[in-house]
Amino acid sequence: MLISINPANQHDLDILKENFRGFVREFMNCSIIGDKGYIDKGFENLLRQGKVYFEAIKRN
């Protein structure tokens, strides 16, 4: 389990980008499912290079 406590005024994607190396280390060869608001194409490509596969879902 990975828990991160961050300020509420900081965007989740910014936090993920700041902690990129640790995130890749913890989730290498895993698929992550999340909301489209948590990813952009450039960062998605970086995750794929680190063998972390982000699947964006659309809220209904």
Side-chain angles (χ1 to χ4, degrees), residues 2-25:
L2 180 66
I3 297 174
S4 178
I5 300 172
N6 299 288
N9 64 347
Q10 192 173 7
H11 192 279
D12 296 332
L13 183 56
D14 293 335
I15 294 166
L16 182 58
K17 287 178 178 180
E18 287 175 9
N19 298 293
F20 173 74
R21 290 180 191 263
F23 189 81
V24 168
R25 185 176 52 248

Side-chain angles (χ1 to χ4, degrees), residues 1-55:
M1 181 185 307
L2 180 66
I3 297 174
S4 178
I5 300 172
N6 299 288
N9 64 347
Q10 192 173 7
H11 192 279
D12 296 332
L13 183 56
D14 293 335
I15 294 166
L16 182 58
K17 287 178 178 180
E18 287 175 9
N19 298 293
F20 173 74
R21 290 180 191 263
F23 189 81
V24 168
R25 185 176 52 248
E26 293 293 326
F27 295 104
M28 185 180 290
N29 296 316
C30 292
S31 292
I32 306 297
I33 299 170
D35 186 87
K36 286 175 72 173
Y38 292 101
I39 198 76
D40 61 37
K41 284 295 179 188
F43 193 62
E44 183 178 1
N45 290 335
L46 282 176
L47 288 174
R48 285 189 188 279
Q49 289 174 11
K51 298 185 181 178
V52 176
Y53 306 99
F54 189 88
E55 300 295 327

